[in-house]
Amino acid sequence: NAGVTQTPKFQVLKTGQSMTLQCAQDMNHEYMSWYRQDPGMGLRLIHYSVGAGITDQGEVPNGYNVSRSTTEDFPLRLLSAAPSQTSVYFCASSYSLAGGPGTGELFFGEGSRLTVL
Amino acid sequence: QKEVEQDPGPLSVPEGAIVSLNCTYSNSAFQYFMWYRQYSRKGPELLMYTYSSGNKEDGRFTAQVDKSSKYISLFIRDSQPSDSATYLCAMSPSVRHDMRFGAGTRLTVKP
């Protein structure tokens, strides 16, 4: 099993450009999410999905779009990149909602480092 | 005020020391408490998972939750250089997967 795979690992954009960060998981997880990690801020939830066709906003959704057409894939789109979106982005998945002991573990990808000039 | 507060360190200890890492939180709805370990340029990995209050031990690691004080701790006994990483606390309410993370504490264990 590959687990959670993110591409690209590194990307440099100019202000105003758009791009898509790809995320795929092969564990048949219902739940998928995107976080951004900034120094001193920890991981902050951008968007999440509890199943194909269902998405919802997290703590910092502005400037990002998501869709979930399949169980496996959960791409994150930056519509018009801004320097404030310079960050490390992590995709994570888990079996289900945190409904009981042992179900809350998030499996993370290795991250995508984005720089917006 | 952040929902989850964690001292970012950095924390440097000699090999064999006992390490104590802590987080405080403000949301009394949190029921699930986790510690993730993140090596440099990698994604976080779950280290410990605790439901509600109490202690949980796994090898050299012990997680404690005190809901009355809104305070959680992770203890590492006989610390090893391989424990050098950033440790993130995380917590969530009982229904939604809206997990909140601390900023992470960077730990270095020197041989």
Side-chain angles (χ1 to χ4, degrees):
Chain A
N1 284 350
V4 179
T5 303
Q6 291 183 235
T7 56
K9 287 188 173 16
F10 302 93
Q11 184 71 50
V12 179
L13 290 178
K14 293 181 180 178
T15 297
Q17 287 185 317
S18 63
M19 77 157 299
T20 299
L21 300 177
Q22 302 291 344
C23 176
Q25 53 91 9
D26 61 359
M27 297 174 282
N28 201 30
H29 285 170
E30 295 177 354
Y31 178 88
M32 295 186 74
S33 55
W34 278 101
Y35 287 86
R36 59 178 289 172
Q37 187 174 37
D38 303 291
M41 300 294 292
L43 287 158
R44 291 181 292 169
L45 183 64
I46 304 172
H47 286 286
Y48 66 96
S49 169
V50 298
I54 305 169
T55 63
D56 206 347
Q57 296 180 350
E59 185 182 359
V60 287
N62 292 340
Y64 307 95
N65 274 0
V66 293
S67 60
R68 184 97 178 268
S69 57
T70 67
T71 300
E72 294 78 18
D73 300 301
F74 191 45
L76 178 72
R77 281 182 288 275
L78 283 71
L79 305 176
S80 178
S84 61
Q85 294 179 304
T86 294
S87 187
V88 182
Y89 291 85
F90 287 98
C91 179
S93 70
S94 76
Y95 290 104
S96 66
L97 295 175
T103 62
E105 179 177 2
L106 285 173
F107 295 82
F108 285 86
E110 294 209 334
S112 297
R113 293 179 177 273
L114 175 66
T115 301
V116 182
L117 303 175
Chain B
Q1 183 187 3
K2 296 179 184 177
E3 272 189 297
V4 181
E5 297 279 0
Q6 182 177 11
D7 187 341
L11 182 62
S12 181
V13 301
E15 183 174 355
I18 296 175
V19 177
S20 173
L21 304 168
N22 312 294
C23 288
T24 59
Y25 63 95
S26 58
N27 188 345
S28 58
F30 290 143
Q31 296 279 357
Y32 299 89
F33 302 92
M34 288 141 280
W35 287 94
Y36 283 80
R37 179 174 60 194
Q38 184 177 20
Y39 291 114
S40 181
R41 296 187 175 267
K42 297 290 187 182
E45 299 174 303
L46 183 67
L47 188 61
M48 298 285 285
Y49 183 105
T50 308
Y51 171 70
S52 193
S53 288
N55 295 353
K56 185 174 183 179
E57 187 173 323
D58 184 2
R60 296 184 294 110
F61 298 90
T62 299
Q64 289 185 350
V65 175
D66 182 350
K67 291 188 69 180
S68 63
S69 301
K70 296 188 177 67
Y71 187 87
I72 70 171
S73 301
L74 177 70
F75 297 96
I76 306 174
R77 292 182 299 279
D78 187 25
S79 57
Q80 303 295 310
S82 58
D83 295 328
S84 298
T86 296
Y87 291 80
L88 302 107
C89 62
M91 46 202 80
S92 69
S94 59
V95 177
R96 290 182 53 177
H97 220 321
D98 193 5
M99 197 172 297
R100 300 294 195 202
F101 284 82
T105 300
R106 179 175 293 180
L107 171 68
T108 301
V109 180
K110 296 185 175 180

